[in-house]
Amino acid sequence: MTAADPFARFRMATRARIGLGRCGDALPTAALLDFQLAHARARDAVHSQADFAAVAAAVAPHPAVEVSSAAADRSIYLRRPDLGRRLDDDSRARLAALPRPETPWDIVFVVGDGLSATAVSAHAAAAFAACRAHLPEDWTVGPLVLARQARVALGDDAAHALGARMVAMLIGERPGLSVADSLGIYLTLDPHAARLESERNCISNIHANGLSYDEAGFKLAWLAAEGRRRGVTGIDLKDEAPPLLAARAEPPKLG
Amino acid sequence: MSLYACTLGATRHVFDGLAALMACASPRRSGDELAGIAADTDERRVAARLALADLPLTAFLDEPLIPYETDEVTRLIADTHDRAAFAPVASMTVGGFREWLLSDAATPRALAALAPGLTPEMAAAASKLMRNADLMAVAAKCRVVSAFRTTLGLPGRLGSRLQPNHPTDDPTGIAAAVIDGLLFGMGDAVIGINPATDSPAACIALLEMLDAVRRKFDIPCQSCVLTHVTNSIACIERGAPVDLVFQSIAGTEGANAGFGINLAVLQEAREAALSLKRGTVGDNVMYFETGQGSALSADAHCGVDQQTCEARAHAVARAFSPMLVNTVVGFIGPEYLYDAKQIIRAGLEDHFCGKLLGVPMGVDVCYTNHAEADQDDMDTLATLLASCGVNFLIGVPGADDVMLSYQSLSFHDILGLRHRLNLKPCPEFHAWLERMGMLDAEGHLPPPAAGNGAMRRLFAIGD
């Protein structure tokens, strides 16, 4: 756009592709290729492999274990959401065979590639670290489960196999043209395969221009502690966490 | 329940009931496979079509796909079926009906008279025996006109919804997209916002903003905030300027319950909108969106294939004399429509069934990033639809909806179709574009020169 761009004063207010200009009725070349680049990145986010080895290395020495859903590949995964919601039998058996503490894990974290491997590779390890930092110190945290071809409900299956009291599923969200690497976190108390979507709390939009790791971790820890105290997650547990900055601020001194 | 069968060589293909026959006759698509009701071989698919072709149309009156007793959409379809209008085709088989639809006997006048005599299942059955070209040939003969402040669906016209969505409903961001769209001649079907915040107060703020823009520039158009129908009723009760009332609808009672609606609340909303008497050239006040797969995703498809469920949604729409209906064809994702081939086919089916049933059908030509489709495929579907008289298409800035994270058509795309296919916006809006000095001698809309009158006036939108 030239200095005479009539939309200049609007561009701070929206990321919409306004005022692109016209060649006849068509897009100028720069705008055409800019769109194609954004679409290519979104498609790559859907179809690439999450780098779970890097996630496992980043969270070490916390133990991590890789599993797969019952959807054998991405093509099946996209057509069969039911298969992406459960572990393959081998994965479930391996999780069930892992050593358990005497009392069940307070919480287990599952990382699922979901619809954006890019989001998982970029944000999962840091989001996990931030969540752990905000959780009560005495909570036991099970091994990090890294799940391929996974949908949200797979977290329930994995956590049930591990015998955990609560699960936080970190999963790549469906990419848009403006953000291809957005991570979401879904929290479920007493996870098992018959849990409904309405029984989860969701923290979404974790990416460079969205929610920070620290904010996400703070929210997750608040919901986890409140959910456990009230014995419920989902629509009956509203996110009433105070803003992070306010929670950190010193209480005003009287007098 | 009846058994249907077709013997091919040594194989006897048996279909347990009309719903199973219809599902197996449908072109292959991922949603029916996910539901476990699709034909498992290509031969079986054609066997189902052969059996369907010999079926009398009256079979659909005798054997409802979803029971009358348990589904209010079935009751609506049965109770409003016009036997007199049906009479000209009452003795036909589905195969014979297809041939009649394609014949010269099926004139636009004959098709309009027939519409109240057709059930959605009859339209869906005919579509399953049709190629894409057949769907277009018949749809092109069906004219469904609706009106509020503009008149849509007239021959030689292509309407557009201007969709200026913003992820936080920022008024300046929305205004910018509205200006951008108006400069391309968009908005004659509706200027319609999908709100990020669903409260009545937030919707009223958007409605008042759109209404102020419309009055400031004296634009013959209607606005809509696409919130839940109960929110729109609340907005009307608070005196908000509601032109059209929006709702997503589906083809089964259970799927509509999943949307939090039933037929009674749609009727209540329609009456509330009519009471405002805001239309000037007509009183079609409802705006519905539909889409194949919605019933399955609500776990309420009752064993019926997704294309037939979609046609049933059109029958729901028809009962409320809507201004606008569009399928959001590629929005639902690849588990229902896997790739561009399936999306294109579904878009043509939905347009055909809607028009045949007498619904003022538009299409949101669109896809998500996890479907096997791209903007080239949208060029194809949009061109096919515009060539067979679709009432309107949806345009967003640069084809990128930054609020809903999917891709539709751009304003460029729709304007290009108008120019290439010699289609004009609806007459009231066309006259406004002329008054604004935006059209050339041929009625085309060239790129505006910097600082021309229309640009200067529209950019003063917020002043």
Side-chain angles (χ1 to χ4, degrees), chain A residues 190-233:
Chain A
D190 187 18
H192 55 74
R195 281 284 175 224
L196 305 175
E197 297 307 315
S198 57
E199 294 173 308
R200 311 180 199 292
N201 288 90
C202 174
I203 301 165
S204 84
N205 240 359
I206 303 165
H207 55 85
N209 295 309
L211 202 63
S212 71
Y213 304 136
D214 202 29
E215 289 169 301
F218 175 75
K219 267 182 188 296
L220 185 279
W222 187 90
L223 286 167
E226 276 301 297
R228 176 154 140 184
R229 190 177 68 78
R230 300 187 203 176
V232 67
T233 49

Side-chain angles (χ1 to χ4, degrees), chain B residues 152-178:
Chain B
L152 279 174
L154 296 171
R157 308 280 172 171
L158 173 62
S160 61
R161 168 179 164 195
L162 198 175
Q163 182 169 301
N165 293 344
H166 188 280
T168 60
D169 294 337
D170 180 87
T172 307
I174 289 173
V178 170

